[in-house]
Amino acid sequence: MPSTNVAFRPAEFAQAAGQHLEAFVAANSDVAYAVLTTSDGFEVAAHPKKPLTQKLAAMSSSLQALSEAISREAGLSNARNLVIEAESGTIVVLGLPGTAPRMSLAIVSGNSETLGHLLWAARNCCAALAALRPG
Amino acid sequence: MNAGELKIVFAGPMGAGKTTAIRALSDIEPVSTEVGNTDLASHSKQLTTVALDYGHLQLDDGNVVKLYGTPGQSRFAFMWDILCAGAIGIVLLVDASRDDALDDFRAFVDTLRRIARDQPLIVGVGRPTSADGSHLAPFQAHLASQGIVAPVFGVDARERADVLLLVETLLCVLEARVEEKTRAVN
Amino acid sequence: MSRGQAQKAEAAGGVVAGQRRIALVGAPSGAADERGEHAMRLLDTMLWVLKGTTRDAWSKAEPDDADIIVIHRGDEPTRTAAWRSRGKLIVEIAREGETGGADDNVLTYPFPAKRVLELLEKLSGKLDDSSPAPAVSAAPAPVARATISDTDRWALPEALRTVRSVRNDNLWLVARDGADPVLWLRGDGSAYFATDAFVRTLHADGSLTTRLELRDGYPPPKTRVAERPAGEFFWFAGFNAGDGLAPWLDSRQSFRITAWPDFGVIRPDAAVLRAVALLQVQSLDVGALAARARVTHAVAARILNALSLCEVLVAGEARASRGEARLTEPRGGFSGFLRRLRTHLGLGVEA
């Protein structure tokens, strides 16, 4: 069963998103990967683009879905972000507001930035990406 | 895993009926991680599971049987390893009407042999494409070619009785193994 | 030899296919033997299942008109000698273990269809070497059925085994319940046609298959009947034939399965599931199967008969046991857990 990574969004959106991610990574030196993914695990854009980013796209969509599920079960509304703190770095998965079906941004970062700064920068990136979404 | 917690995994490609099968059995409303399918070219189903389905059976003696459904697409194959580890059995559901049904089946069997080698496997084939049962033959033949003896039954995952048949068969195979092991020890 | 091969042989300049007649003679009255009757009935079945696959066309006839006469070993020597003296070839049916024989035209029961085919082809050759075959009358002679037991409960299963081994897709077989045709079976053993009512009865009434008689037939009607997997019919025919082990199975032999029948169609009892699961995991003879599946000997035999007819039963040892997965032990142990899980799912626990 081949893992096809089909572009679902117009090519212009994917290209513009890729440019935003490139700028984001450039402005945040501790960020290793930034991956924009559909709700069902397809990579829309990534920087840097590597074979790994397709897998990150799938895994982050799973995490996003589980976050939303556990929030629902716990009676909390609208799960926003998931934070995974590892010894050597941090992964955050953020839902893109206003996108339907919901897209997510997954960011893999080292530990030099504070979590707060990372989340702030990431949310700004999300807002910019959401504003790009095709009409 | 805690004592008293056991799990049965429902695996198989997208649209084969895993979520439906768990819903038919679970004591609780199943937890689902279904989202919109953006790849309608590959499969016309509106929703797809991206992490897992979860249900459970709460027995009177405190034992809990967890029911997990895996995502179908291969990009979520990392979830199969996680979910199948330690399962008491795997129910593999197949949609016979798909053109790639046999390819999918081969891929799943290969994966399960690697990650769940010793766990009993039960195969349920849905959406029959023949009235004479010949649509089961390719799946039976593949198992035979791999030296695997496992039930392959024509079922409808929407029917609770059919899902129960698969689970009951799994329980019979488990009981047979326990019986054989007990005899070997004594 | 397949029908195609027979036709090719003919086209290639071999002997033109002839008409041959064969008489099946039951044991003289007073010497009737159940196993012997099985054997003669089996041969009768094989003759029409093999139709179209042999070089010559074989039809049944009275001894006086026949080229070949099939007798039980030990038949009256006087009449046998008389037939021989009139140039008829004699075939003897013997039982396993019996020794000696006038010549090598012997079928030792249980005999496979392949052996019968070889013998018929050999006899065709012998008849060609002697005088030309007598003219065949337009209508085939009536079968001497009075000499064959009509209550032979293994007739249908034996017929189905023959169908499966020959796989003659030029043929349709019809099963009748009394005078009424109720089932049409494709000659390759892949599918059958019947009404929904018949199928319901097949599942519910264990005596149905014991009443059926399978004969050479014709294709099913276009309406009223639907196609079904042949395995369903084979299962019930095997399961309901009788309480003992089938004549072709050895009670001392251990068996295991190579595959499962489609229980999605058959929907057997929990006891059957239990027994078949045991045969997946280990090799068992009928007695051990009964004990471990906690069923009667009769039920264990029925299950083995049905599995055999479905061609998923083999003799011998189970595969080398695989490593057992390390599993969490449930509270109260595995056996108790499985019982309680069954109860919880409403599957029932046997006494």
Side-chain angles (χ1 to χ4, degrees), chain B residues 27 58 61 118 154 162 175, chain C residues 262 267 323 331 340 342 344:
Chain B
D27 286 341
Q58 178 72 60
D61 61 1
D118 300 321
D162 288 27
E175 285 164 339
Chain C
D262 181 7
R267 303 292 166 137
R331 271 193 274 275
R340 284 186 289 279
R342 286 180 163 283
H344 189 85

Side-chain angles (χ1 to χ4, degrees), chain C residues 71-299:
Chain C
I71 59 168
H72 293 281
R73 172 162 293 169
D75 199 301
E76 289 175 19
T78 321
R79 66 176 180 172
T80 310
W83 286 325
R84 280 191 212 277
S85 69
R86 288 165 56 197
K88 299 185 188 292
L89 297 180
I90 303 294
V91 171
E92 285 185 314
I93 290 187
R95 277 172 298 182
E96 231 164 5
E98 286 183 347
T99 55
D103 53 43
D104 59 351
N105 292 343
V106 176
L107 288 170
T108 304
Y109 182 77
F111 41 81
K114 188 168 164 254
R115 169 74 185 117
V116 171
L117 184 60
E118 281 165 3
L119 184 60
L120 291 176
E121 301 299 79
K122 189 183 85 171
L123 293 171
S124 284
K126 275 194 177 170
L127 290 168
D128 288 337
D129 292 342
S130 56
S131 54
V136 179
S137 58
V143 175
R145 289 192 56 77
T147 60
I148 296 171
S149 164
D150 286 335
T151 59
D152 184 350
R153 68 180 192 275
W154 297 110
L156 179 64
E158 294 269 29
L160 294 178
R161 285 182 79 223
T162 303
V163 167
R164 273 236 147 116
S165 72
V166 174
R167 295 194 197 278
N168 184 351
D169 56 11
N170 294 303
L171 201 61
W172 279 95
L173 300 133
V174 173
R176 291 173 191 276
D177 187 358
D180 303 323
V182 289
L183 178 151
W184 290 257
L185 176 68
R186 205 176 275 141
D188 62 1
S190 61
Y192 78 99
F193 286 72
T195 62
D196 290 347
F198 175 88
V199 174
R200 280 194 297 274
T201 309
L202 181 66
H203 282 249
D205 179 0
S207 70
L208 172 62
T209 49
T210 61
R211 299 197 300 271
L212 297 181
E213 202 188 329
L214 194 68
R215 301 304 290 175
D216 187 8
Y218 43 86
K222 299 254 186 284
T223 59
R224 287 190 311 113
V225 297
E227 190 177 10
R228 303 281 300 181
E232 179 182 39
F233 180 51
F234 279 63
W235 172 271
F236 288 106
F239 192 87
N240 293 324
D243 279 342
L245 216 51
W248 62 85
L249 295 176
D250 184 341
S251 63
R252 296 157 302 177
Q253 178 74 62
S254 289
F255 300 99
R256 61 180 175 88
I257 55 167
T258 56
W260 288 63
D262 181 7
F263 285 161
V265 165
I266 293 165
R267 303 292 166 137
D269 289 341
V272 171
L273 284 181
R274 206 163 55 233
V276 179
L278 282 164
L279 294 170
Q280 172 180 312
V281 169
Q282 56 189 309
S283 285
L284 298 168
D285 62 34
V286 61
L289 179 63
R292 296 192 201 177
R294 298 184 295 280
V295 297
T296 62
H297 193 281
V299 169

Side-chain angles (χ1 to χ4, degrees), chain B residues 1-6 8 25 27 57-65 86-88 117-121 131-134 136 140 144 147-156 160-162 164-165 167-169 171-183, chain C residues 186 190-192 226-231 256-265 267-270 273-274 277-282 291-292 294 318-319 321-342 344-348:
Chain B
M1 214 179 309
N2 297 329
E5 292 184 352
L6 298 102
I8 297 173
L25 291 179
D27 286 341
L57 302 165
Q58 178 72 60
L59 305 191
D60 291 340
D61 61 1
N63 279 314
V64 175
V65 180
I88 59 172
R117 180 169 200 83
D118 300 321
Q119 284 121 309
L121 173 68
D132 65 356
S134 56
L136 299 183
Q140 291 163 326
I148 298 172
V149 179
V152 178
F153 297 165
V155 295
D156 183 346
R160 186 167 191 267
D162 288 27
L164 281 178
L165 172 64
V167 173
E168 181 166 22
T169 306
L171 297 182
C172 287
V173 173
L174 284 167
E175 285 164 339
R177 287 191 176 189
V178 169
E179 203 272 352
E180 186 203 15
K181 203 169 160 189
T182 310
R183 271 185 197 272
Chain C
R186 205 176 275 141
S190 61
Y192 78 99
E227 190 177 10
R228 303 281 300 181
R256 61 180 175 88
I257 55 167
T258 56
W260 288 63
D262 181 7
F263 285 161
V265 165
R267 303 292 166 137
D269 289 341
L273 284 181
R274 206 163 55 233
L278 282 164
L279 294 170
Q280 172 180 312
V281 169
Q282 56 189 309
R292 296 192 201 177
R294 298 184 295 280
R319 299 152 300 146
S321 59
R322 81 252 116 220
E324 284 297 322
R326 288 178 183 273
L327 297 175
T328 310
E329 186 76 7
R331 271 193 274 275
F334 232 108
S335 298
F337 158 73
L338 291 172
R339 264 200 306 279
R340 284 186 289 279
L341 179 54
R342 286 180 163 283
H344 189 85
L345 290 169
L347 295 173

Side-chain angles (χ1 to χ4, degrees), chain B residues 98-143:
Chain B
R98 301 273 299 165
D99 289 339
D100 48 8
L102 184 57
D103 287 340
D104 281 355
F105 182 72
R106 287 197 189 113
F108 273 97
V109 170
D110 283 348
T111 302
L112 290 172
R113 290 201 88 181
R114 183 177 50 79
I115 65 179
R117 180 169 200 83
D118 300 321
Q119 284 121 309
L121 173 68
I122 316 291
V123 180
V125 181
R127 298 205 176 85
T129 54
S130 73
D132 65 356
S134 56
H135 61 287
L136 299 183
F139 306 107
Q140 291 163 326
H142 180 66
L143 289 179

Side-chain angles (χ1 to χ4, degrees), chain A residues 18-34 47-48 107-110 112-114 117-125 128:
Chain A
Q19 286 164 353
H20 273 269
L21 293 183
E22 188 177 355
F24 172 78
V25 172
N28 296 275
S29 58
D30 213 25
V31 170
Y33 296 98
H47 190 83
I107 295 165
V108 180
S109 171
S112 340
E113 303 248 26
T114 62
H117 180 86
L118 181 63
L119 281 173
W120 169 81
R123 281 191 191 126
N124 287 342
C125 184

